[in-house]
Amino acid sequence: MADSKFAKLTINDKIIELPIHSPTAGPDVVDITKLYAEGDVFTYDPGFTSTASCESTITFIAGAKGELLYRGYPIDQLAEQSHYLEVCYLLLYGELPSKPELIEFETRVTNHTMLHDQMNHLFRGFRRDAHPMAIMCGVVGALSAFYHDSIDISDQDQREIASIRMIAKIPTIAAYAYKYSIGQPFIYPDNNLDYASNFLRMCFATPTENYEVNPILAKAMDRIFTLHADHEQNASTSTVRLAGSSGANPFACIAAGIACLWGPAHGGANEACLNMLREIGTVDRIPEYIARAKDKSDPFRLMGFGHRVYKNFDPRATVMKESADEVLELMGIENNETLLVAKALEKIALEDPYFIDKKLYPNVDFYSGIILDAMGFPTSMFTPIFAMSRTVGWIAQWKEMIADPKLKIGRPRQLYTGAIMRDYIKPDNR
């Protein structure tokens, strides 16, 4: 970062010089760390939408250009040419691996896919109808109770083994949560399979019937993992960093990220999108819902269209649409009513001037929900699969934060608008 530029802020006739840092990409950043000490004021930024909370080298988003880079590599290139575990290596270590490095990394991950056998009893403590995300939060947090040799964050080796364990075990936890919710026995990992295929098998195989993973489905699942692996300083990533800033163990930090991801405005968007498609029901009802979406007085909102960060298009959606078309053709369900509604809505969004002007293009949540539904996943599993994908991004961000010599515990300030000091009055005198 270059500190040769400064912003001058005048507060009550006092001039404060604030350094301006220039990143490798993106807008300059005004450093306000001394603003309170020298000016006795805070900044006010609800949602932190104009605040850089950290310095990072992992992921970059150029919303106006529709650009998403992992360590400098465009997301479309990685989704088309790479695969998820190679992307995991890239996010964790900063560079693409050599072939021997990739083989060694994949072997390390594969050797940790099993859960401690006693952890299987945890699942039975949940109600059978518990949402899989509730189970994910609990079980991931409980990893710290079983793997004591990887919770000392001051030990680099322990941080490393914790990272590998979480990437390896999160598909097993998600698959077990799904199996538990439908009353089927757990299927242990098969380490002869690749990461995506192993997850699909754990979800859909049974003890009496094997499940042969179709390569088109495995490819689509791998793309879902890759496209959701990291997304800069979003709500859940910021949650992981904030939890980690206190010195919490890595399993607790990832559990906090999962809890944040559960919200419908974040990781639950693809679930909300499919529920919306089912609410619309049939193609002939689309005009009614389009009219409602255009009516500012109507609370109805179209889910799966537009994006808070991407202003023109979601770069992940192009790749996801390709996989959606492949999966729907494979499954032979082009005439499914929900999918017909999705296709018709997609066409409208790409042609209707209202959608074009408002930049309400189909985003990655729109297509990923369609794919997961076609594969046979219930909507309740959409967010757990998102959590699986994002785990490596959370870990990479957490490791980067822990290694930062400037690390401080997170402590946002506030604009207080409550009562000023007043004396307590006993109940009889009120």
Short mmCIF file of all heavy atoms in Angstrom, two decimals, residues 244-266:
data_model
loop_
_atom_site.label_atom_id
_atom_site.label_comp_id
_atom_site.label_asym_id
_atom_site.label_seq_id
_atom_site.Cartn_x
_atom_site.Cartn_y
_atom_site.Cartn_z
N GLY A 244 -12.97 -14.67 14.98
CA GLY A 244 -11.57 -15.04 15.07
C GLY A 244 -10.71 -13.99 15.73
O GLY A 244 -9.69 -14.30 16.35
N SER A 245 -11.11 -12.73 15.64
CA SER A 245 -10.32 -11.65 16.22
C SER A 245 -10.26 -11.76 17.74
O SER A 245 -9.38 -11.18 18.38
CB SER A 245 -10.88 -10.29 15.81
OG SER A 245 -12.09 -9.99 16.50
N SER A 246 -11.20 -12.50 18.35
CA SER A 246 -11.20 -12.66 19.80
C SER A 246 -10.28 -13.78 20.25
O SER A 246 -10.07 -13.98 21.45
CB SER A 246 -12.63 -12.97 20.29
OG SER A 246 -13.00 -14.29 19.93
N GLY A 247 -9.74 -14.54 19.28
CA GLY A 247 -8.89 -15.68 19.61
C GLY A 247 -9.66 -16.98 19.71
O GLY A 247 -9.12 -18.00 20.16
N ALA A 248 -10.93 -16.98 19.27
CA ALA A 248 -11.73 -18.21 19.31
C ALA A 248 -11.10 -19.27 18.43
O ALA A 248 -10.43 -18.98 17.44
CB ALA A 248 -13.15 -17.91 18.86
N ASN A 249 -11.34 -20.54 18.78
CA ASN A 249 -10.77 -21.63 17.99
C ASN A 249 -11.40 -21.68 16.60
O ASN A 249 -12.52 -21.18 16.40
CB ASN A 249 -10.91 -22.97 18.73
CG ASN A 249 -12.33 -23.50 18.72
OD1 ASN A 249 -12.85 -23.97 17.70
ND2 ASN A 249 -12.98 -23.43 19.88
N PRO A 250 -10.70 -22.25 15.62
CA PRO A 250 -11.19 -22.19 14.23
C PRO A 250 -12.54 -22.86 14.00
O PRO A 250 -13.33 -22.40 13.18
CB PRO A 250 -10.09 -22.89 13.44
CG PRO A 250 -9.33 -23.71 14.43
CD PRO A 250 -9.40 -22.94 15.71
N PHE A 251 -12.82 -23.94 14.73
CA PHE A 251 -14.10 -24.62 14.54
C PHE A 251 -15.26 -23.73 15.01
O PHE A 251 -16.31 -23.68 14.37
CB PHE A 251 -14.11 -25.95 15.30
CG PHE A 251 -12.98 -26.87 14.92
CD1 PHE A 251 -11.98 -27.18 15.83
CD2 PHE A 251 -12.89 -27.41 13.65
CE1 PHE A 251 -10.94 -28.02 15.49
CE2 PHE A 251 -11.85 -28.24 13.29
CZ PHE A 251 -10.86 -28.54 14.22
N ALA A 252 -15.06 -23.01 16.11
CA ALA A 252 -16.08 -22.09 16.59
C ALA A 252 -16.30 -20.96 15.60
O ALA A 252 -17.44 -20.53 15.37
CB ALA A 252 -15.68 -21.53 17.96
N CYS A 253 -15.21 -20.48 14.99
CA CYS A 253 -15.32 -19.38 14.02
C CYS A 253 -16.11 -19.81 12.80
O CYS A 253 -16.95 -19.05 12.30
CB CYS A 253 -13.92 -18.90 13.61
SG CYS A 253 -12.98 -18.15 14.96
N ILE A 254 -15.85 -21.01 12.30
CA ILE A 254 -16.57 -21.50 11.12
C ILE A 254 -18.04 -21.74 11.46
O ILE A 254 -18.94 -21.47 10.65
CB ILE A 254 -15.91 -22.77 10.56
CG1 ILE A 254 -14.46 -22.47 10.16
CG2 ILE A 254 -16.69 -23.29 9.36
CD1 ILE A 254 -14.28 -21.31 9.22
N ALA A 255 -18.31 -22.24 12.66
CA ALA A 255 -19.71 -22.41 13.10
C ALA A 255 -20.43 -21.07 13.12
O ALA A 255 -21.62 -20.98 12.75
CB ALA A 255 -19.75 -23.07 14.47
N ALA A 256 -19.72 -20.01 13.54
CA ALA A 256 -20.33 -18.66 13.53
C ALA A 256 -20.64 -18.23 12.10
O ALA A 256 -21.69 -17.63 11.83
CB ALA A 256 -19.38 -17.67 14.19
N GLY A 257 -19.74 -18.54 11.17
CA GLY A 257 -19.98 -18.21 9.77
C GLY A 257 -21.19 -18.95 9.21
O GLY A 257 -21.99 -18.38 8.47
N ILE A 258 -21.33 -20.20 9.59
CA ILE A 258 -22.48 -21.00 9.14
C ILE A 258 -23.78 -20.38 9.66
O ILE A 258 -24.77 -20.28 8.92
CB ILE A 258 -22.34 -22.46 9.62
CG1 ILE A 258 -21.18 -23.13 8.89
CG2 ILE A 258 -23.63 -23.25 9.39
CD1 ILE A 258 -20.83 -24.52 9.42
N ALA A 259 -23.78 -19.96 10.92
CA ALA A 259 -24.97 -19.35 11.50
C ALA A 259 -25.36 -18.09 10.73
O ALA A 259 -26.55 -17.86 10.44
CB ALA A 259 -24.73 -19.02 12.97
N CYS A 260 -24.37 -17.27 10.38
CA CYS A 260 -24.66 -16.05 9.63
C CYS A 260 -25.15 -16.36 8.22
O CYS A 260 -26.07 -15.71 7.71
CB CYS A 260 -23.41 -15.17 9.57
SG CYS A 260 -23.66 -13.61 8.70
N LEU A 261 -24.57 -17.37 7.60
CA LEU A 261 -24.93 -17.74 6.23
C LEU A 261 -26.38 -18.18 6.12
O LEU A 261 -26.99 -18.11 5.05
CB LEU A 261 -24.00 -18.85 5.74
CG LEU A 261 -24.10 -19.21 4.26
CD1 LEU A 261 -23.46 -18.14 3.39
CD2 LEU A 261 -23.45 -20.56 3.98
N TRP A 262 -26.94 -18.65 7.22
CA TRP A 262 -28.28 -19.22 7.23
C TRP A 262 -29.34 -18.20 6.82
O TRP A 262 -30.42 -18.54 6.34
CB TRP A 262 -28.58 -19.76 8.63
CG TRP A 262 -29.74 -20.68 8.73
CD1 TRP A 262 -30.66 -21.00 7.76
CD2 TRP A 262 -30.11 -21.43 9.89
NE1 TRP A 262 -31.59 -21.89 8.25
CE2 TRP A 262 -31.27 -22.17 9.55
CE3 TRP A 262 -29.60 -21.54 11.18
CZ2 TRP A 262 -31.91 -23.01 10.47
CZ3 TRP A 262 -30.24 -22.38 12.08
CH2 TRP A 262 -31.37 -23.10 11.73
N GLY A 263 -29.06 -16.91 6.98
CA GLY A 263 -30.07 -15.89 6.70
C GLY A 263 -30.54 -15.88 5.25
O GLY A 263 -29.73 -16.08 4.34
N PRO A 264 -31.82 -15.64 5.00
CA PRO A 264 -32.35 -15.66 3.63
C PRO A 264 -31.77 -14.57 2.73
O PRO A 264 -31.79 -14.71 1.51
CB PRO A 264 -33.87 -15.46 3.83
CG PRO A 264 -34.00 -14.81 5.17
CD PRO A 264 -32.88 -15.36 5.99
N ALA A 265 -31.24 -13.50 3.32
CA ALA A 265 -30.61 -12.46 2.50
C ALA A 265 -29.19 -12.82 2.11
O ALA A 265 -28.56 -12.12 1.32
CB ALA A 265 -30.60 -11.14 3.27
N HIS A 266 -28.67 -13.92 2.63
CA HIS A 266 -27.29 -14.33 2.37
C HIS A 266 -27.31 -15.73 1.76
O HIS A 266 -27.71 -15.91 0.62
CB HIS A 266 -26.50 -14.27 3.67
CG HIS A 266 -25.01 -14.37 3.50
ND1 HIS A 266 -24.38 -14.39 2.29
CD2 HIS A 266 -24.00 -14.48 4.42
CE1 HIS A 266 -23.08 -14.48 2.45
NE2 HIS A 266 -22.82 -14.54 3.75
#
